[in-house]
Amino acid sequence: MAFTDSEIAEAHEAVRREGDSDNLYKLGLIYSTGQGGAVDYVQAHMWFNLAAVRGSESAKECRRELSEMMSKDEIAQAQRSAREWLTVKHH
């Protein structure tokens, strides 16, 4: 799945405004596939985790698969980042 630069920007903006599971999931896909830059598993895991918290079953599966490719330290960093995002940005 390929995303255009405008789709990536729109997903970031939608998350800033609403924080809905669909756009959180989309950001997870963007970071896990390297769209718009390098692959970033920590960021991808964070976005999938946030989408999963908001009820996305697809995000739960992607997060599980991604976790298998990550170190414990990377997963811990992603979880810290998700908690911080929830605390600072979206309650």
Side-chain angles (χ1 to χ4, degrees), residues 27-68:
L27 286 176
L29 290 175
I30 289 166
Y31 283 99
S32 68
T33 60
Q35 297 292 314
V39 171
D40 186 336
Y41 289 154
V42 172
Q43 283 290 309
H45 189 285
M46 180 191 91
W47 294 119
F48 285 141
N49 196 24
L50 291 165
V53 166
R54 286 178 165 74
S56 172
E57 292 300 320
S58 296
K60 288 178 186 177
E61 179 62 22
C62 289
R63 180 185 60 191
R64 185 193 62 72
E65 290 175 7
L66 200 56
S67 294
E68 295 173 1

Side-chain angles (χ1 to χ4, degrees), residues 2-14:
F3 296 95
T4 65
D5 289 344
S6 67
E7 287 175 316
I8 294 168
E10 287 171 13
H12 275 283
E13 182 57 31

